[in-house]
Amino acid sequence: MSEKNILFMARTTRYHEFTRSLTQTMGAEVFAATPDSPTAAHDFDLLVLDADGIRNDRIEQIAKWLDDRGNIPMLLIVDEDALSDLRIPAHGHADFICSGGSTGELEARVRRLLGEEESFSVDDVLHIDNLVINLATYQVYLDGEPVDLTLMEYSLLSFLAMHPNRAYSREVLLHRVWGFEYFGGTRTVDVHIRRIRSKVGPQIAAHITTVRGVGYLFKL
């Protein structure tokens, strides 16, 4: 791997050392800036943004700035209690990691964003009846119109659609989709499934099947 330059952008230094671990794990150079003054003294290949205290519209502005610089990818560090309100930017190539993630997960997500990991085993765009799920841009369309899903609603829907005809327990879905032990318990999966069904319409909702005593599957 050639050396990469990574820009760490945050209003505090709380995850500076966490991000700087990429110097040891990947040999990357890590530079720092603030969201209010994003001008970087160095060219960079990836932005790591601590989303704490940064509004979604400001994140969108930063993503557009990255898009204008050549579609530079962005990794958001997100606190678990802020996940429900997070919107992945429409511009550019973006991903997120929970603030409690490990340095190993950080490295894996960075490598994927930089194109140093195998791509998805399925096409970047899933077509299910009148629904389109764009895995590259985190966007969902129903009859050509965008569906306003939260990040976790999108993540749950896309996970089930990418693994059809297989039942997953609520506990497994929490681990695979949320990636952490959710303090609210497994009921949050039911809540998100109900919201997804209400947003994607009856035709697509019929694909999301409740398996009694187990959990859910996406039936094709």
Side-chain angles (χ1 to χ4, degrees), residues 91-107:
H91 295 283
H93 190 190
D95 196 359
F96 77 98
I97 182 173
C98 288
S99 54
S102 67
T103 56
E105 181 183 0
L106 174 66
E107 179 188 359

PDB file of all heavy atoms in Angstrom, residues 91-107:
ATOM      1  N   HIS A  91     -23.573  13.510  -1.319  1.00  0.00           N
ATOM      2  CA  HIS A  91     -22.380  13.746  -2.133  1.00  0.00           C
ATOM      3  C   HIS A  91     -21.254  12.819  -1.708  1.00  0.00           C
ATOM      4  O   HIS A  91     -21.082  12.513  -0.533  1.00  0.00           O
ATOM      5  CB  HIS A  91     -21.906  15.192  -1.985  1.00  0.00           C
ATOM      6  CG  HIS A  91     -22.867  16.196  -2.519  1.00  0.00           C
ATOM      7  ND1 HIS A  91     -23.013  16.451  -3.857  1.00  0.00           N
ATOM      8  CD2 HIS A  91     -23.746  17.001  -1.892  1.00  0.00           C
ATOM      9  CE1 HIS A  91     -23.934  17.379  -4.027  1.00  0.00           C
ATOM     10  NE2 HIS A  91     -24.393  17.726  -2.859  1.00  0.00           N
ATOM     11  N   GLY A  92     -20.484  12.388  -2.681  1.00  0.00           N
ATOM     12  CA  GLY A  92     -19.257  11.682  -2.377  1.00  0.00           C
ATOM     13  C   GLY A  92     -19.464  10.276  -1.852  1.00  0.00           C
ATOM     14  O   GLY A  92     -20.554   9.726  -1.838  1.00  0.00           O
ATOM     15  N   HIS A  93     -18.389   9.693  -1.376  1.00  0.00           N
ATOM     16  CA  HIS A  93     -18.339   8.327  -0.875  1.00  0.00           C
ATOM     17  C   HIS A  93     -18.122   8.403   0.627  1.00  0.00           C
ATOM     18  O   HIS A  93     -17.065   8.807   1.081  1.00  0.00           O
ATOM     19  CB  HIS A  93     -17.196   7.590  -1.570  1.00  0.00           C
ATOM     20  CG  HIS A  93     -17.194   6.117  -1.316  1.00  0.00           C
ATOM     21  ND1 HIS A  93     -16.165   5.298  -1.677  1.00  0.00           N
ATOM     22  CD2 HIS A  93     -18.108   5.321  -0.705  1.00  0.00           C
ATOM     23  CE1 HIS A  93     -16.437   4.061  -1.319  1.00  0.00           C
ATOM     24  NE2 HIS A  93     -17.613   4.049  -0.729  1.00  0.00           N
ATOM     25  N   ALA A  94     -19.144   8.020   1.406  1.00  0.00           N
ATOM     26  CA  ALA A  94     -19.081   8.219   2.852  1.00  0.00           C
ATOM     27  C   ALA A  94     -19.448   6.943   3.595  1.00  0.00           C
ATOM     28  O   ALA A  94     -20.160   6.081   3.097  1.00  0.00           O
ATOM     29  CB  ALA A  94     -20.023   9.348   3.278  1.00  0.00           C
ATOM     30  N   ASP A  95     -18.915   6.837   4.816  1.00  0.00           N
ATOM     31  CA  ASP A  95     -19.232   5.731   5.712  1.00  0.00           C
ATOM     32  C   ASP A  95     -19.170   6.287   7.125  1.00  0.00           C
ATOM     33  O   ASP A  95     -18.835   7.463   7.330  1.00  0.00           O
ATOM     34  CB  ASP A  95     -18.239   4.587   5.511  1.00  0.00           C
ATOM     35  CG  ASP A  95     -18.722   3.260   6.106  1.00  0.00           C
ATOM     36  OD1 ASP A  95     -19.835   3.240   6.695  1.00  0.00           O
ATOM     37  OD2 ASP A  95     -17.998   2.263   5.982  1.00  0.00           O
ATOM     38  N   PHE A  96     -19.507   5.458   8.111  1.00  0.00           N
ATOM     39  CA  PHE A  96     -19.436   5.923   9.488  1.00  0.00           C
ATOM     40  C   PHE A  96     -18.906   4.818  10.386  1.00  0.00           C
ATOM     41  O   PHE A  96     -18.932   3.630  10.041  1.00  0.00           O
ATOM     42  CB  PHE A  96     -20.806   6.387   9.988  1.00  0.00           C
ATOM     43  CG  PHE A  96     -21.734   5.247  10.355  1.00  0.00           C
ATOM     44  CD1 PHE A  96     -21.876   4.858  11.677  1.00  0.00           C
ATOM     45  CD2 PHE A  96     -22.445   4.581   9.379  1.00  0.00           C
ATOM     46  CE1 PHE A  96     -22.720   3.804  12.013  1.00  0.00           C
ATOM     47  CE2 PHE A  96     -23.293   3.534   9.704  1.00  0.00           C
ATOM     48  CZ  PHE A  96     -23.436   3.149  11.031  1.00  0.00           C
ATOM     49  N   ILE A  97     -18.413   5.215  11.559  1.00  0.00           N
ATOM     50  CA  ILE A  97     -17.994   4.292  12.597  1.00  0.00           C
ATOM     51  C   ILE A  97     -18.494   4.853  13.923  1.00  0.00           C
ATOM     52  O   ILE A  97     -18.476   6.073  14.130  1.00  0.00           O
ATOM     53  CB  ILE A  97     -16.453   4.105  12.615  1.00  0.00           C
ATOM     54  CG1 ILE A  97     -16.037   3.084  13.685  1.00  0.00           C
ATOM     55  CG2 ILE A  97     -15.737   5.425  12.824  1.00  0.00           C
ATOM     56  CD1 ILE A  97     -14.552   2.738  13.625  1.00  0.00           C
ATOM     57  N   CYS A  98     -18.989   3.987  14.794  1.00  0.00           N
ATOM     58  CA  CYS A  98     -19.428   4.447  16.108  1.00  0.00           C
ATOM     59  C   CYS A  98     -18.215   4.866  16.933  1.00  0.00           C
ATOM     60  O   CYS A  98     -17.125   4.310  16.788  1.00  0.00           O
ATOM     61  CB  CYS A  98     -20.207   3.356  16.829  1.00  0.00           C
ATOM     62  SG  CYS A  98     -21.844   3.049  16.145  1.00  0.00           S
ATOM     63  N   SER A  99     -18.440   5.836  17.802  1.00  0.00           N
ATOM     64  CA  SER A  99     -17.333   6.396  18.581  1.00  0.00           C
ATOM     65  C   SER A  99     -16.676   5.354  19.488  1.00  0.00           C
ATOM     66  O   SER A  99     -15.535   5.529  19.903  1.00  0.00           O
ATOM     67  CB  SER A  99     -17.827   7.582  19.425  1.00  0.00           C
ATOM     68  OG  SER A  99     -18.930   7.204  20.224  1.00  0.00           O
ATOM     69  N   GLY A 100     -17.373   4.273  19.793  1.00  0.00           N
ATOM     70  CA  GLY A 100     -16.785   3.221  20.615  1.00  0.00           C
ATOM     71  C   GLY A 100     -16.102   2.130  19.816  1.00  0.00           C
ATOM     72  O   GLY A 100     -15.717   1.093  20.363  1.00  0.00           O
ATOM     73  N   GLY A 101     -15.932   2.344  18.503  1.00  0.00           N
ATOM     74  CA  GLY A 101     -15.325   1.329  17.643  1.00  0.00           C
ATOM     75  C   GLY A 101     -13.853   1.107  17.960  1.00  0.00           C
ATOM     76  O   GLY A 101     -13.182   1.928  18.583  1.00  0.00           O
ATOM     77  N   SER A 102     -13.346  -0.005  17.505  1.00  0.00           N
ATOM     78  CA  SER A 102     -11.946  -0.361  17.742  1.00  0.00           C
ATOM     79  C   SER A 102     -11.050   0.204  16.646  1.00  0.00           C
ATOM     80  O   SER A 102     -11.525   0.593  15.576  1.00  0.00           O
ATOM     81  CB  SER A 102     -11.788  -1.885  17.783  1.00  0.00           C
ATOM     82  OG  SER A 102     -12.048  -2.443  16.500  1.00  0.00           O
ATOM     83  N   THR A 103      -9.760   0.217  16.901  1.00  0.00           N
ATOM     84  CA  THR A 103      -8.811   0.663  15.871  1.00  0.00           C
ATOM     85  C   THR A 103      -8.816  -0.299  14.690  1.00  0.00           C
ATOM     86  O   THR A 103      -8.580   0.114  13.557  1.00  0.00           O
ATOM     87  CB  THR A 103      -7.392   0.784  16.445  1.00  0.00           C
ATOM     88  OG1 THR A 103      -7.006  -0.469  17.033  1.00  0.00           O
ATOM     89  CG2 THR A 103      -7.332   1.880  17.506  1.00  0.00           C
ATOM     90  N   GLY A 104      -9.113  -1.581  14.938  1.00  0.00           N
ATOM     91  CA  GLY A 104      -9.200  -2.545  13.841  1.00  0.00           C
ATOM     92  C   GLY A 104     -10.357  -2.238  12.911  1.00  0.00           C
ATOM     93  O   GLY A 104     -10.228  -2.320  11.682  1.00  0.00           O
ATOM     94  N   GLU A 105     -11.508  -1.877  13.489  1.00  0.00           N
ATOM     95  CA  GLU A 105     -12.656  -1.500  12.665  1.00  0.00           C
ATOM     96  C   GLU A 105     -12.365  -0.216  11.910  1.00  0.00           C
ATOM     97  O   GLU A 105     -12.719  -0.078  10.732  1.00  0.00           O
ATOM     98  CB  GLU A 105     -13.907  -1.324  13.522  1.00  0.00           C
ATOM     99  CG  GLU A 105     -15.137  -0.958  12.709  1.00  0.00           C
ATOM    100  CD  GLU A 105     -16.377  -0.701  13.550  1.00  0.00           C
ATOM    101  OE1 GLU A 105     -16.297  -0.809  14.790  1.00  0.00           O
ATOM    102  OE2 GLU A 105     -17.423  -0.370  12.957  1.00  0.00           O
ATOM    103  N   LEU A 106     -11.716   0.728  12.580  1.00  0.00           N
ATOM    104  CA  LEU A 106     -11.343   1.981  11.919  1.00  0.00           C
ATOM    105  C   LEU A 106     -10.496   1.703  10.688  1.00  0.00           C
ATOM    106  O   LEU A 106     -10.765   2.223   9.602  1.00  0.00           O
ATOM    107  CB  LEU A 106     -10.585   2.882  12.893  1.00  0.00           C
ATOM    108  CG  LEU A 106     -10.005   4.174  12.307  1.00  0.00           C
ATOM    109  CD1 LEU A 106     -11.111   5.113  11.855  1.00  0.00           C
ATOM    110  CD2 LEU A 106      -9.104   4.861  13.336  1.00  0.00           C
ATOM    111  N   GLU A 107      -9.485   0.867  10.837  1.00  0.00           N
ATOM    112  CA  GLU A 107      -8.612   0.550   9.709  1.00  0.00           C
ATOM    113  C   GLU A 107      -9.400  -0.123   8.589  1.00  0.00           C
ATOM    114  O   GLU A 107      -9.234   0.217   7.404  1.00  0.00           O
ATOM    115  CB  GLU A 107      -7.473  -0.365  10.146  1.00  0.00           C
ATOM    116  CG  GLU A 107      -6.549  -0.748   8.989  1.00  0.00           C
ATOM    117  CD  GLU A 107      -5.537  -1.815   9.369  1.00  0.00           C
ATOM    118  OE1 GLU A 107      -5.524  -2.251  10.535  1.00  0.00           O
ATOM    119  OE2 GLU A 107      -4.755  -2.218   8.476  1.00  0.00           O
TER     120      GLU A 107
END
